[in-house]
């Protein structure tokens, strides 16, 4: 039986002031709440929302910037447009998957915490329950390793826009020497965003400076930073899940060795 947080808090509030004799019961009810898993769930929801929402919009704005300032022919950025569309579909799948997976892990946290603390009556930790917990540990660990790669890859667009912003700042400082300004460029072809035969493929001088002053550029840069932060929050949530599920599994095994009903 999975306890609900709102009834527990409401029960404790009522019993504290109206029915003092039930206070201990309500505190045991709150003792069955897996706070570590609950915090990890909130972190995961917020991180995935940032990563998927901001990342989706940032990809759309990136396509618009490349199309407007770095490429003239449709054939030059058509491959990039398909890749961006593919990643946007992947984002839809990631958001759905992590929403369901976090709910399952939270439910598993309620189950194992209740089993370990024996809060809700006669509860036996079963062999099937321990096998399920060990499966979640392995799955969460694998997801954390894979998401570490996603976290590293999400830093690449931030790095690109950071270099672009630094170049624009240099251009603004050297406005008195136009010859030097025209030599400062950002080439999208060097980052693999466009093929080497794309025209113009790069923005230089005051053209680049004007790009950096546009609303699209500023918004896209901020969106990628937010998506990068969301990926970091999600990684932290997965690591927290790994620690909490490992601890709960260890407690369940300990209870099983003590003879608290290991059955299936």
């Amino acid at each position: 039986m999975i306890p609900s947080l709102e009834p527990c808090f409401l029960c404790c509030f009522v019993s504290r002031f109206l029915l003092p004799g039930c206070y201990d019961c309500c505190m045991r009810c709150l003792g069955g709440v897996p706070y570590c898993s609950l915090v990890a769930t909130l972190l995961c929801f917020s991180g995935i929302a940032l990563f998927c929402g901001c990342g989706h919009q940032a990809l759309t704005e990136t396509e618009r910037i490349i199309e407007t300032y770095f490429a003239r022919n449709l054939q030059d950025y058509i491959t990039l447009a398909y890749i961006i569309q593919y990643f946007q579909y992947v984002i839809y799948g990631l958001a759905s998957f992590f929403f369901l997976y976090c709910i399952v892990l939270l439910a598993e946290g309620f189950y194992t915490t209740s089993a370990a603390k024996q809060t809700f009556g006669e509860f036996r930790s079963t062999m099937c329950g321990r096998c399920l917990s060990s499966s979640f540990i392995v799955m969460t660990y694998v997801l954390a390793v894979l998401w570490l790669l996603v976290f590293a890859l999400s830093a690449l667009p931030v790095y690109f826009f950071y270099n672009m912003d630094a170049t624009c700042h240099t251009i603004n400082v050297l406005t008195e020497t136009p010859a030097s300004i025209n030599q400062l460029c950002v080439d999208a072809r060097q980052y693999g965003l466009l093929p080497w035969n794309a025209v113009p493929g790069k923005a230089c001088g005051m053209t680049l400076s004007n790009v950096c002053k546009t609303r699209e550029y500023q918004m896209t840069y901020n969106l990628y930073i937010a998506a990068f932060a969301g990926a970091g929050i999600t990684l932290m949530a997965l690591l927290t899940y790994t620690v909490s599920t490992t601890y709960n599994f260890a407690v369940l095994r300990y209870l099983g060795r003590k003879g608290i009903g290991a059955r299936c």
Side-chain angles (χ1 to χ4, degrees):
M1 177 179 180
I2 298 176
S4 177
L5 292 180
E6 293 183 1
C8 284
F9 284 112
L10 182 60
C11 175
C12 287
F13 177 79
V14 173
S15 62
R16 179 63 173 176
F17 296 100
L18 301 179
L19 300 172
C22 298
Y23 184 70
D24 292 338
C25 176
C26 289
M27 292 306 296
R28 289 196 300 270
C29 175
L30 290 178
V33 176
Y35 293 102
C36 189
S37 297
L38 185 61
V39 171
T41 301
L42 296 177
L43 285 175
C44 189
F45 281 168
S46 59
I48 285 297
L50 271 177
F51 178 79
C52 294
C54 295
H56 183 278
Q57 186 61 31
L59 289 173
T60 302
E61 296 296 331
T62 299
E63 181 181 357
R64 184 177 295 113
I65 290 175
I66 294 296
E67 176 185 359
T68 305
Y69 301 105
F70 291 91
R72 296 173 183 171
N73 298 322
L74 176 62
Q75 297 301 323
D76 291 338
Y77 64 89
I78 188 64
T79 302
L80 178 65
Y82 282 131
I83 293 176
I84 288 177
Q85 187 178 14
Y86 170 77
F87 275 113
Q88 287 176 334
Y89 285 125
V90 170
I91 284 175
Y92 297 146
L94 281 176
S96 302
F97 170 77
F98 272 96
F99 176 78
L100 295 176
Y101 189 69
C102 289
I103 293 297
V104 171
L105 284 181
L106 181 61
E108 193 267 347
F110 274 111
Y111 165 76
T112 53
T113 302
S114 300
K117 296 184 178 181
Q118 295 181 333
T119 304
F120 302 98
E122 294 296 329
F123 193 97
R124 294 176 179 270
S125 60
T126 65
M127 184 65 69
C128 292
R130 292 198 295 273
C131 292
L132 186 63
S133 296
S134 62
S135 300
F136 280 127
I137 292 173
V138 175
M139 290 177 60
T140 307
Y141 178 79
V142 172
L143 279 177
V145 173
L146 294 177
W147 197 259
L148 182 62
L149 179 61
V150 174
F151 177 65
L153 292 177
S154 65
L156 295 180
V158 177
Y159 174 73
F160 170 75
F161 278 91
Y162 173 79
N163 286 341
M164 190 171 174
D165 188 70
T167 306
C168 290
H169 178 72
T170 304
I171 292 174
N172 294 331
V173 173
L174 300 177
T175 53
E176 297 180 357
T177 55
S180 300
I181 290 177
N182 292 330
Q183 296 177 0
L184 297 175
C185 304
V186 170
D187 195 337
R189 298 169 297 186
Q190 293 180 343
Y191 296 91
L193 299 178
L194 293 173
W196 284 107
N197 58 352
V199 178
K202 61 181 180 179
C204 303
M206 293 306 299
T207 302
L208 177 60
S209 180
N210 293 331
V211 173
C212 293
K213 295 176 182 178
T214 60
R215 173 182 171 274
E216 291 81 4
Y217 168 80
Q218 296 294 335
M219 183 175 65
T220 305
Y221 190 14
N222 293 330
L223 286 173
Y224 275 123
I225 293 176
F228 177 70
I233 294 173
T234 305
L235 179 61
M236 187 184 305
L238 289 174
L239 294 177
T240 306
Y241 274 132
T242 303
V243 173
S244 63
T245 52
T246 303
Y247 173 78
N248 290 333
F249 174 73
V251 174
L252 286 179
R253 287 198 62 183
Y254 174 77
L255 293 178
R257 290 178 180 177
K258 289 296 183 180
I260 305 180
R263 58 175 183 160
C264 188

